[in-house]
Amino acid sequence: MHELAERIHYKDERALARAISYVENDHPDKLKLLTDIHSLQKKAHFIGLTGSPGAGKSSLVNRLITHLRKQQLTVGVVAVDPTSPFSGGAILGDRVRMSGHFTDSGVFIRSMGTRGSLGGLARTTKETVRLMDAYGFDVILIETVGVGQSELDIMKIADTIAVVLNPGSGDVVQVFKAGIMEIADLFVINKADLPGVPKLMGELHSMLDLVKHDAPYRPPIVKTISVQNKGLDELWDRLKEHRHYLERSGEGESRRLRSLEHEVIEVVHHELMKEVWEQEERNGFPWLREVQAGEMDPYTAAQTILNRWRKNLIGKEG
Ligand SMILES: Nc1nc2c(ncn2[C@@H]2O[C@H](COP(=O)(O)OP(=O)(O)OP(=O)(O)O)[C@@H](O)[C@H]2O)c(=O)[nH]1
Ligand SMILES: [Mg+2]
């Protein structure tokens, strides 16, 4: 077993931090490490929180941590901010907001920005979640900013996806457009101290009537005021209920299997791409100048690259 995997197994926090850096930097040992920790997976409750910038996700995460710690539950947090210029560092605001938890050994917080993830942000995030699970946190919270395709992709690893909305924000239209409605397991109306709650509630219900009218599970709507610590009990109860539903219905198991299936493809995709790219780098990207000068079409360039890669492969085998 990889030395880091063993140390993670014995709850060595520094080993976990080191392993996450391996994942971010696409370290040569990465796949070996992930292979070894796979059998250590403990099936924490993976909870994703997504929503528009400033919706209050970090404030909610912060309050949830406190709530969970009171029940002796341990918590891992991955905050994903593609715009963060800090590689592997915390987003300044989150650092301040969650700082009360930094000295607590039952809490582990990690922020991910694009710069610190050579394996692609979605991949890096999922691998980090896997590492945290192997370490053995009870709950793993994944915060992603925004409601686009890459957030949806990251969220595929979550058991429960909570979408955070605000009254008076026009969020609902965006949610509908982005296909979030289909994947949301729970809606949080945060900033419920602001005007417009009944309107948002009404819009959400109409949309749920439309999209989920014959679905086996109807996502609940929870109101919170995270800055006043209100609604957190109910939020946690609903999150737990969803997990029970997943277990009861068998949906949880099939989601996990789908997620693993997806990961197989992602890893192959990434590793292949890396090989091809390294080959092109060694060759000095010979097609680039011609494509830029309009002398070669992109399809011919792509085929040239693939043919070269295939030829190399045969060369290696023979
Ligand atoms: N009035 C009110 N303000 C809130 C509430 N929750 C959060 N806020 C404020 O909203 C702002 C954004 O909160 P964050 O928790 O940083 O939101 P976020 O969704 O994590 O933001 P990003 O990570 O930047 O997308 C902060 O100024 C919070 O104080 C709430 O329930 N009511
Ligand atoms: Mg945040």
Side-chain angles (χ1 to χ4, degrees), residues 290-318:
E290 280 178 76
V291 171
Q292 281 172 346
E295 289 160 12
M296 189 190 279
D297 68 275
Y299 312 100
T300 305
Q303 268 176 333
T304 313
I305 292 169
L306 287 172
N307 285 337
R308 189 172 17 245
W309 184 72
R310 288 189 194 112
K311 232 185 247 160
N312 264 343
L313 208 60
I314 295 165
K316 271 181 206 157
E317 276 175 358

Side-chain angles (χ1 to χ4, degrees), residues 4-45:
L4 281 181
E6 202 159 316
R7 283 169 59 198
I8 287 171
H9 183 50
Y10 292 111
K11 288 203 187 294
D12 177 343
E13 213 173 270
R14 286 180 57 184
L16 175 60
R18 168 81 65 82
I20 295 173
S21 308
Y22 273 32
V23 154
E24 287 179 324
N25 301 325
D26 222 2
H27 190 280
D29 287 1
K30 184 183 89 170
L31 285 184
K32 164 91 179 100
L33 180 59
L34 289 168
T35 305
D36 288 347
I37 60 116
H38 185 74
S39 60
L40 305 175
Q41 303 278 325
K42 301 189 179 66
K43 300 196 172 152
H45 189 182

Side-chain angles (χ1 to χ4, degrees), residues 11-293:
K11 288 203 187 294
D12 177 343
E13 213 173 270
R14 286 180 57 184
L16 175 60
R18 168 81 65 82
I20 295 173
S21 308
Y22 273 32
V23 154
E24 287 179 324
N25 301 325
D26 222 2
H27 190 280
D29 287 1
K30 184 183 89 170
L31 285 184
K32 164 91 179 100
L33 180 59
L34 289 168
T35 305
D36 288 347
I37 60 116
H38 185 74
S39 60
L40 305 175
Q41 303 278 325
K42 301 189 179 66
K43 300 196 172 152
H45 189 182
F46 297 169
I47 300 172
L49 289 109
T50 188
S52 306
K57 301 174 293 295
S58 299
S59 319
L60 280 170
V61 165
N62 191 28
R63 296 292 188 172
L64 257 181
I65 297 172
T66 309
H67 193 74
L68 297 172
R69 291 303 290 142
K70 277 191 196 140
Q71 305 172 41
Q72 261 72 52
L73 294 169
T74 57
V75 193
V77 179
V78 193
V80 187
D81 184 355
T83 58
S84 169
F86 306 101
S87 79
I91 305 154
L92 193 60
D94 288 346
R95 206 192 273 272
V96 174
R97 216 162 290 128
M98 297 180 193
S99 59
H101 301 292
F102 269 106
T103 51
D104 179 352
S105 66
V107 180
F108 185 94
I109 300 169
R110 188 75 177 221
S111 294
M112 317 241 115
T114 315
R115 196 178 290 178
S117 33
L118 292 177
L121 192 54
R123 198 76 285 284
T124 307
T125 305
K126 290 182 198 177
E127 285 162 357
T128 300
V129 170
R130 298 265 176 237
L131 289 167
M132 287 187 178
D133 191 20
Y135 180 91
F137 294 105
D138 297 310
V139 178
I140 296 171
L141 303 170
I142 310 152
E143 173 189 341
T144 62
V145 182
V147 280
Q149 199 50 52
S150 58
E151 289 75 34
L152 291 185
D153 188 32
I154 291 170
M155 283 300 150
K156 277 188 192 140
I157 201 173
D159 301 305
T160 305
I161 301 173
V163 177
V164 184
L165 305 170
N166 295 152
S169 63
D171 277 345
V172 171
V173 183
Q174 245 206 321
V175 164
F176 205 53
K177 274 194 205 147
I180 295 264
M181 202 66 191
E182 284 74 12
I183 63 150
D185 301 305
L186 188 150
F187 287 97
V188 184
I189 301 186
N190 187 47
K191 306 196 187 182
D193 52 321
L194 301 182
V197 175
K199 181 166 177 280
L200 177 55
M201 194 73 129
E203 286 168 349
L204 272 176
H205 274 302
S206 328
M207 235 160 47
L208 286 169
D209 290 344
L210 197 70
V211 180
K212 300 277 182 179
H213 67 280
D214 56 357
Y217 178 88
R218 184 178 168 109
I221 305 169
V222 182
K223 284 182 278 187
T224 58
I225 307 173
S226 59
V227 286
Q228 296 171 21
N229 205 17
K230 284 191 181 147
L232 273 295
D233 284 354
E234 201 202 336
L235 175 58
W236 179 237
D237 285 347
R238 296 288 100 78
L239 290 167
K240 273 191 301 188
E241 269 170 30
H242 180 254
R243 196 182 199 201
H244 292 149
Y245 161 76
L246 289 176
E247 282 166 9
R248 221 173 39 239
S249 61
E251 169 70 17
E253 193 53 27
S254 47
R255 268 195 204 192
R256 286 205 174 224
L257 292 177
R258 267 205 304 277
S259 175
L260 286 174
E261 204 180 292
H262 198 76
E263 287 189 63
V264 174
I265 298 165
E266 281 176 351
V267 172
V268 172
H269 183 97
H270 176 66
E271 295 299 319
L272 272 182
M273 202 47 215
K274 201 161 69 181
E275 274 186 35
V276 171
W277 211 245
E278 278 165 7
Q279 164 197 284
E280 290 311 302
E281 219 160 28
R282 277 193 306 275
N283 287 326
F285 303 103
W287 40 269
L288 188 61
R289 197 201 55 79
E290 280 178 76
V291 171
Q292 281 172 346

